């Protein structure tokens, strides 16, 4: 059944986040994709592609948040600890981040350039303040800010 708002929401698995309450949504209106961090992985692209091609969604709302568990470790430390315990390094990355705004900006940029998403895809990124539950939109054009902050 196609979601009536033609929208997919990507967000963190954090147990404090009620996606439907956050956006005032009802059952049947959106697809909800959740993982640790609400980050863009190959599997998120897989689900978004199916959501778009088979169930006619176009808008993507990406929501990451303050106080996220993914800001409490680094990718290297996590992989190293797993490798020490299991003897194997995981083939995937954790996508750990320090600043959710930077992470949202990167993931929005990645979605906008993904070759498998529909050309008419509209992507908006937000950081949710986990204390106040206020959504702060990471605005279009912030990509330039990110590019500008990289020393050339
Ligand atoms: Zn989180």
């Amino acid at each position: 059944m196609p979601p009536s708002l033609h929208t997919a929401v990507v967000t963190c698995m954090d147990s404090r986040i009620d996606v439907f309450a956050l956006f005032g949504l009802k059952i049947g209106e959106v697809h909800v994709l959740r993982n640790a961090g609400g980050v863009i992985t190959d599997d998120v692209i897989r689900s978004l592609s199916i959501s778009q091609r088979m169930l006619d969604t176009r808008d993507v709302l990406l929501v990451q948040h303050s106080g996220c568990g993914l800001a409490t470790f680094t990718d290297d430390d996590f992989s190293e600890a797993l490798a020490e315990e299991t003897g194997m390094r995981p083939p995937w990355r954790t996508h750990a981040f320090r600043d959710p705004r930077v992470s949202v900006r990167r993931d929005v940029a990645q979605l906008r350039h993904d070759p498998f998403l529909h050309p008419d895809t509209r992507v908006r990124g937000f950081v949710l303040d986990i204390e106040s539950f206020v959504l702060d939109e990471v605005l279009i054009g912030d990509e330039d800010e990110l590019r500008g902050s990289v020393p050339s």
Side-chain angles (χ1 to χ4, degrees):
M1 181 184 164
S4 61
L5 295 179
H6 306 288
T7 298
V9 180
V10 180
T11 194
C12 184
M13 66 186 186
D14 192 295
S15 61
R16 295 167 289 184
I17 300 173
D18 180 341
V19 178
F20 288 88
L22 192 61
F23 288 103
L25 295 166
K26 293 194 280 288
I27 295 292
E29 290 186 329
V30 299
H31 281 152
V32 180
L33 312 177
R34 303 187 74 158
N35 63 25
V39 295
I40 301 308
T41 62
D42 289 349
D43 195 62
V44 169
I45 296 296
R46 180 188 70 86
S47 293
L48 285 176
S49 299
I50 294 168
S51 171
Q52 293 192 330
R53 305 286 165 170
M54 308 304 288
L55 292 157
D56 211 27
T57 63
R58 286 296 176 270
D59 291 272
V60 179
L61 303 179
L62 176 71
V63 183
Q64 298 177 7
H65 67 97
S66 64
C68 186
L70 258 72
T72 62
F73 56 83
T74 68
D75 198 51
D76 281 349
D77 288 347
F78 190 89
S79 293
E80 195 56 39
L82 269 188
E84 272 176 31
E85 193 181 315
T86 66
M88 289 182 293
R89 201 172 287 282
W92 33 262
R93 293 183 52 241
T94 62
H95 296 257
F97 52 78
R98 267 176 298 177
D99 180 348
R101 282 190 77 80
V102 174
S103 179
V104 165
R105 243 181 253 144
R106 286 178 182 156
D107 281 353
V108 167
Q110 187 184 335
L111 285 171
R112 287 185 177 153
H113 294 108
D114 192 278
F116 298 112
L117 296 190
H118 196 282
D120 294 339
T121 303
R122 289 178 299 265
V123 185
R124 295 172 69 185
F126 300 85
V127 173
L128 173 68
D129 185 315
I130 204 69
E131 305 291 334
S132 65
F133 282 90
V134 170
L135 279 167
D136 184 19
E137 183 161 13
V138 180
L139 291 170
I140 301 165
D142 283 8
E143 278 176 63
D144 298 327
E145 190 187 313
L146 180 65
R147 210 173 292 127
S149 69
V150 179
S152 51

